[in-house]
Every structure is written in structure tokens, then in C-alpha cells.
Amino acid sequence: MSDYARERASFSWESVRAELDGLPGGRGLNIAYEALGRHVAKGHGDQTAIIWLGKRGERREVTYADLDSLTNQFANLLANQGVEAGDRVYSLAGRIPELYVCALGALKHRAIFCPLFSAFGPEPVAERLNLGEARVLFTTERLYKRRIAGIRDRIPTLEHVILLADPKKPDKPEGTVDWAEAMGDASLEYEIGATGPDTPALLHFTSGTTGTPKGAYHVHEAVLTHYATGKLALDMHPSDIYWCTADPGWVTGTSYGISAPLANRVTMIIDEAEFDPKRWYQILEEEKVQVWYTAPTAIRMLMKTGPELPQSKDLSALRFMGSVGEPLNPQAVIWGQEVFGMPFHDNWWQTETGGIMIANYASMDVKPGSMGRPMPGITAGIVREGDDGRLREVDDPSKDGELALRPDWPSVFRGYWNNKERYDACFRDGWYLSGDLARRDEDGYYWFVGRSDDVIKSAGHLIGPFEVESVMMKHPAVAEVGVIGKPDPVAGTIIKAFVSLQSGHEWTEELHRELIGFGRKNLGTAAPREIDFVESLPKTRSGKIMRRLLKARELGLPEGDTSTLEGGDS
Ligand code: ATP
Ligand code: MG
């Protein structure tokens, strides 16, 4: 996008639709066809779709034509099992190529694909399989034995388990379908059935940052948003080398780890391994990554390891760096500029929105700390309840309110699975309410204040934890900060910060005093009154700081749903 204002003025979802192909014979829009079939039909079958990097140093390339055939096979495999359109096909697997085959094959078959994060233990897995009434599960033999075998009889709807088994081990678990065998029996040709604009496609559980995860579902039409945001907000161009570091167990890893990149015909990197600074810089250099989409937690961890490593690499292929999932501290944007010669471009969205809603675009000046401006085609607003009880837009740039969106874009969720009440409660007076608080400045840039659950009311003021955290991050000893409001008999509520330190720093009484002073000098009444040292902050497996957990622990209250807690005994 070269000019934000012009693009916004001329944008329409119909023109995006015209850039996509639709199923042959005018039979609608199917995510998997836009991702694969249409490129093959246009002669791009030989282009590499996926470069897969295995944990043990393996490297595999899969072309668009091969991925199209493999996913045809998987769609046929489902048909052979009697699986029907609308049935829920779950996956529980690491980032292996078969997971992507399962996702796109299920979409071709018009089943609803629901990815689960592979580190979930048996309980969260059982809960999610039951919530979405799973009929099919794709998993590996190892994960089946550890996570599924013991709970299978508690999931009455689950009929088919397709297992990627170790060919060297002859004994397959009972009641499972062998991937290799069933794929071998399945034809390479598959005709995708008519796919209406409201045909359900994806079911995603939210991160569980604020409570029990919700299962939001999306329709095939969502590919319009995936495609347009991939192109406009993440600057994808056909044949780019693109790397989204998110796991498909979270919505980012599906919308921007499968649908958007393939619909834009890029070559995508899939790294099976977990975060590791050395490995990541090596991938960026060796694979000549051009567009990189990652998350604040990872960026902060890279910052923690220092600038020497990236500066020793040739990262000249890199053209665009994006970030999502949590507020991106201004410090991190500036660090990007210093170390990579370009800023990280923050963007904002949620599982419910299905795609990027607010972003810093390549052509636009980045204001460090801001989430950017609404996507063309998206009407956003900051709203508050007026005297008449109706929502009103806040125009004053100094005032915050709830970030709301007009729910008329293609990837807006169409429901929380089996929870109509909770879904209905998200919509009011023609707005979708995000549950996040934000401000909009004179230039139309949005600034994140905090989740409404995390915002602190102290001494008559509303204080967003992000602002306090970002200021404390400026201190050279601080690596990460989580801030909560703590009830206080005298002051009502005080601000308490939990900090982890940059490598090379030690927690001493002196540093403690220094940080208290640093806060007071830079934040005044919004300064943390108490600061505790922590080795690391509690986070969801998708990398979000769980402030509700910091608070529960501080106050000795029940921890609530911890199924997505990183390192937790799930
Ligand atoms: P749950 O709804 O279960 O509590 P969650 O809201 O963390 O979990 P997601 O849908 O994965 O689940 O995350 C969306 C939320 O992440 C947003 O509502 C917002 O609070 C936060 N977020 C995402 N991107 C940004 C960003 N760029 N800046 C600030 N916050 C962000
Ligand atoms: Mg949420």
C-alpha cells in the first residue's frame, strides 16, 4: 500500500473479491482453493509453498502443486471415513507438514478445522474437543499415547482418530486410522463442493488471558480479510519469503501462518522448533526472509540477548517486520530500528476479528507505542456509554474508551461455539465491543491502554498497565514488566509491578530503590508503589502476560482457568 488515505477511500470488499478467483463454475469462495488451487491453475504449481525446517536440522520444500495434491488426498481421506461438511476436524500436533495438509484438506472438504496447541495436556484437550463436539482428530502416535488415550472415552462425539504413526513400530493403537495407509488409499483428485459465504471454516479457541477460552468460529469468506490484510498490512508480495513465527494452535498461526500467506502466493517458512535466538537469526539469514511476523514476547527475549548476534548476520533480505498479540513497547520498536534498520510494525486484532484490524503500514510513519490505524474496509471507534445509555464515540484524543468495530468485515466471528449468549453480549448499538481500552490521537492513530479487566483505578484515575510497563521498560536493567492494581487499606488501590531483569543485572536492594525512584520520576502518581522481582512472568502459551494470575497470586485468590499457562501443569 503506497498511500493510506487513497487506499482507504477507494477500498471495497468487492474489489478484493475481484482479486481472488472463486471456485471454478462460480461455486463460491473456499479458503483452500484461494490458497492453493487457483495458483496451480494459473501455472504457479512449481513455486515452493512451504519451506519446512525440522527440529533436528531437516529441511523440506513443498511446492504449491504438491500441497494441492496432498490436501486433495486428505480431503478424500475424510470423505472415505464418512466425514461430512460441517463436521469438526481437530488437530493436535507440532508444526509438522502434515498439520498443514490436514488444515487445508479439511477446508477443501468443508469440514470445520480446529487446531489445538500441541503442548496442551489431556484436560485442556478434552475440554476443547468436547466444547466443539469434535468428530475427527488428527494427531501423532506419541501425542495420542500421552494425551488422548486416557481421555478418549470421555469424548463421545469423537469417531475418527487419524494417526501419524512411527513406521518402525508395528503395533498401532486400537481404534485409530493410520495416516500413511489411509492417504495411500485416497485419490489425488478432489473437487471442492460449493462453498457459500457463510460456510463455517475455522474454530479457534482464544488465548485464555482473561479467563476460560472461548471457541470462536469463522467462515470461508474470511479469506477476503486474510488476503487483503496480508497484502496491505503485512506487505506480502507474490514469491516473497515470509515467516510467521506463531503456532497454528493460535489464530495468528492460521490466519497468517496458512491462509493469508498462501492466498498471497508467498513462500512460507515453517519452523518446527521452539524459540531460540541463535536459531531464529540463522533462519532469517539463511532463508533470506523478507517479511517477518512475530510477537512482542519474542522481540523482548531477542532484546534480552543483545544486539551482537543480529549484527553479525547478513539480514539484508529483510524488508518488513510485524508484531502482534500484545502491546508492543515503544522501546522494542526503537530497538528494531537500531538493530535491523527498520521498525517493528505493530498491529492489533483478536481471535474474534479473524484478521488484522488496526496496523502500522509499510508506507506510513510508525509512532512507537501505537497500534497504527484501521485497515481499509474497517470502521473502528473509541466508544463510551452516553447519558442516554447508548454508546457514543469519543472524539477527544486525551480520553480513552472501549475499542469497538462496526461488525461488517468478512472475517468477523460468527459465534462462540454453543454459547450464543456470550456472543450476543459482544454486540451493542451497531458495534462489536473488543473488551480492550484504547485512545485515538489527532492523526487517527490508536493507542492501546489495556484490557478492560486489567485497567487499574487508582486515586481517582484510570491507569492502563501498558503505559506503566512501557515506562519501566526504559530502565536498562528491566527486561519485562507486568503491572497490577493491588487493594490498599489507605490508598484504595496501589500499583504493583513485577519485573524480570536483563541478562547481566542482579536484583539488589539498591536496584529496587532505584526502580522505585525511576518510576516516581517518570510516572508521578501512576508509579508503582511496590516492585517485586520475578524470574519470569506468567504467560499464556501464545506469549501474553497473564496479569490476572499475577493479581490472584498476590492476593492469594484462586487462579481460575490456567489451561493455557506456559509451563503450567496442563
Ligand atoms: P481471552 O479472550 O481468552 O482472554 P485473548 O484475548 O488473549 O484471550 P486472543 O484473541 O488471542 O485471546 O488475543 C487478543 C487480545 O490480545 C486483544 O484483545 C488484545 O488485548 C491483545 N492484543 C493483540 N494485539 C495487540 C496489540 N498489537 N497491542 C495490544 N494488545 C494486543
Ligand atoms: Mg479476548
Side-chain angles (χ1 to χ4, degrees):
M1 170 163 48
S2 55
D3 184 312
Y4 176 76
R6 201 171 340 123
E7 184 72 44
R8 216 177 142 76
S10 66
F11 184 92
S12 74
W13 291 111
E14 291 76 55
S15 58
V16 175
R17 174 69 182 81
E19 287 181 43
L20 297 182
D21 290 1
L23 290 168
R27 287 174 304 114
L29 211 53
N30 182 292
I31 297 177
Y33 185 75
E34 299 311 318
L36 299 173
R38 71 178 186 125
H39 304 313
V40 177
K42 285 179 166 158
H44 299 293
D46 290 341
Q47 185 188 318
T48 302
I50 291 176
I51 298 174
W52 178 74
L53 306 171
K55 270 187 214 163
R56 293 171 198 86
E58 313 93 308
R59 187 180 187 282
R60 233 171 97 185
E61 292 195 15
V62 186
T63 65
Y64 273 90
D66 286 344
L67 195 53
D68 197 32
S69 297
L70 283 163
T71 51
N72 279 348
Q73 262 179 308
F74 190 75
N76 280 315
L77 180 158
L78 292 176
N80 294 344
Q81 298 289 324
V83 176
E84 291 170 22
D87 286 347
R88 267 77 58 211
V89 173
Y90 277 62
S91 66
L92 178 73
R95 289 179 294 280
I96 51 175
E98 290 80 0
L99 168 63
Y100 296 80
V101 171
C102 167
L104 289 154
L107 291 169
K108 284 186 173 177
H109 195 53
R110 292 170 299 158
I112 302 174
F113 176 63
C114 179
L116 296 181
F117 189 59
S118 62
F120 279 154
E123 285 312 317
V125 169
E127 193 188 341
R128 285 162 179 77
L129 289 168
N130 276 326
L131 265 171
E133 300 156 302
R135 184 156 183 224
V136 182
L137 171 69
F138 160 71
T139 189
T140 62
E141 186 168 353
R142 197 180 64 90
L143 286 172
Y144 183 80
K145 287 183 176 155
R146 290 189 187 178
R147 312 277 165 76
I148 306 294
I151 54 154
R152 186 156 176 193
D153 58 356
R154 282 167 41 199
I155 306 142
T157 57
L158 184 61
E159 282 176 58
H160 312 282
V161 175
I162 299 155
L163 215 62
L164 188 67
D166 184 344
K168 284 180 257 132
K169 290 192 195 143
D171 300 328
K172 303 289 172 259
E174 234 175 89
T176 62
V177 176
D178 181 64
W179 166 280
E181 226 175 275
M183 283 290 272
D185 292 343
S187 157
L188 293 165
E189 305 298 324
Y190 183 89
E191 192 185 355
I192 300 176
T195 309
D198 291 326
T199 303
L202 298 159
L203 174 63
H204 274 296
F205 288 92
T206 58
S207 289
T209 317
T210 54
T212 308
K214 300 147 274 189
Y217 75 91
H218 297 94
V219 297
H220 275 273
E221 208 190 26
V223 70
L224 291 167
T225 307
H226 300 156
Y227 169 77
T229 49
K231 185 175 148 183
L232 301 176
L234 297 183
D235 198 37
M236 289 179 196
H237 289 69
S239 303
D240 272 353
I241 307 286
Y242 164 83
W243 184 22
C244 167
T245 60
D247 187 275
W250 311 112
V251 71
T252 306
T254 309
S255 293
Y256 298 97
I258 301 180
S259 180
L262 296 176
N264 278 286
R265 194 167 48 81
V266 307
T267 293
M268 59 182 202
I269 306 288
I270 295 168
D271 182 24
E272 188 194 15
E274 293 312 313
F275 174 81
D276 170 54
K278 234 170 126 185
R279 182 176 170 104
W280 276 32
Y281 287 125
Q282 194 174 330
I283 292 173
L284 289 172
E285 178 179 48
E286 285 179 6
E287 301 299 339
K288 301 187 172 54
V289 173
Q290 291 163 286
V291 178
W292 182 34
Y293 193 26
T294 189
T297 304
I299 298 169
R300 287 194 294 263
M301 305 234 276
L302 292 176
M303 288 167 73
K304 215 169 167 173
T305 53
E308 296 78 17
L309 203 51
Q311 279 161 354
S312 71
K313 301 276 178 197
D314 173 8
L315 303 177
S316 54
L318 209 51
R319 190 183 75 231
F320 184 86
M321 309 196 298
S323 166
V324 72
E326 271 214 302
L328 183 66
N329 314 86
Q331 217 53 19
V333 179
I334 295 161
W335 182 78
Q337 188 73 55
E338 282 167 9
V339 172
F340 298 92
M342 69 192 85
F344 281 100
H345 293 76
D346 186 22
N347 53 61
W348 176 92
W349 59 290
Q350 309 179 297
T351 307
E352 288 85 347
T353 72
I356 296 170
M357 297 285 108
I358 295 179
N360 287 285
Y361 307 91
S363 61
M364 205 169 89
D365 288 337
V366 173
K367 294 192 189 185
S370 161
M371 308 188 286
R373 298 164 83 183
M375 252 293 289
I378 299 298
T379 311
I382 301 292
V383 302
R384 278 189 185 196
E385 197 171 280
D387 293 339
D388 59 355
R390 286 184 68 80
L391 294 178
R392 295 260 175 276
E393 277 199 67
V394 177
D395 288 324
D396 183 346
S398 68
K399 282 212 173 109
D400 54 54
E402 188 158 355
L403 174 51
L405 304 157
R406 292 288 183 201
D408 55 4
W409 72 96
S411 72
V412 62
F413 72 134
R414 304 303 161 97
Y416 287 130
W417 202 261
N418 282 338
N419 199 342
K420 188 168 169 351
E421 219 173 295
R422 201 157 181 189
Y423 174 72
D424 290 342
C426 296
F427 299 89
R428 220 180 117 188
D429 300 335
W431 292 100
Y432 161 69
L433 293 165
S434 71
D436 286 343
L437 298 183
R439 265 192 292 270
R440 179 175 53 203
D441 71 15
E442 301 79 0
D443 302 322
Y445 283 65
Y446 283 71
W447 299 76
F448 186 76
V449 172
R451 292 164 181 271
S452 37
D453 290 12
D454 289 339
V455 167
I456 304 160
K457 284 191 195 88
S458 177
H461 296 286
L462 266 187
I463 296 162
F466 176 49
E467 189 188 342
V468 181
E469 290 162 9
S470 287
V471 168
M472 295 309 290
M473 282 273 296
K474 287 187 187 158
H475 190 283
V478 174
E480 278 197 302
V481 200
V483 162
I484 61 163
K486 178 181 171 184
D488 180 86
V490 181
T493 303
I494 61 157
I495 295 168
K496 170 149 195 173
F498 297 84
V499 303
S500 76
L501 299 181
Q502 295 281 7
S503 50
H505 291 269
E506 238 176 86
W507 187 248
T508 58
E509 211 19 68
E510 196 189 337
L511 178 60
H512 179 230
R513 268 198 307 274
E514 191 181 314
L515 288 176
I516 292 273
F518 183 81
R520 232 180 256 148
K521 182 164 149 245
N522 293 292
L523 285 155
T525 52
R529 195 87 82 73
E530 289 180 16
I531 302 180
D532 276 6
F533 164 74
V534 286
E535 206 55 64
S536 65
L537 292 162
K539 295 195 193 95
T540 65
R541 293 184 191 275
S542 54
K544 297 168 198 279
I545 298 171
M546 293 171 93
R547 295 178 189 82
R548 71 172 161 98
L549 222 58
L550 285 173
K551 191 162 179 173
R553 287 173 182 174
E554 177 69 24
L555 305 182
L557 297 171
E559 295 196 348
D561 189 303
T562 53
S563 63
T564 62
L565 177 65
E566 182 189 44
D569 51 326
S570 44

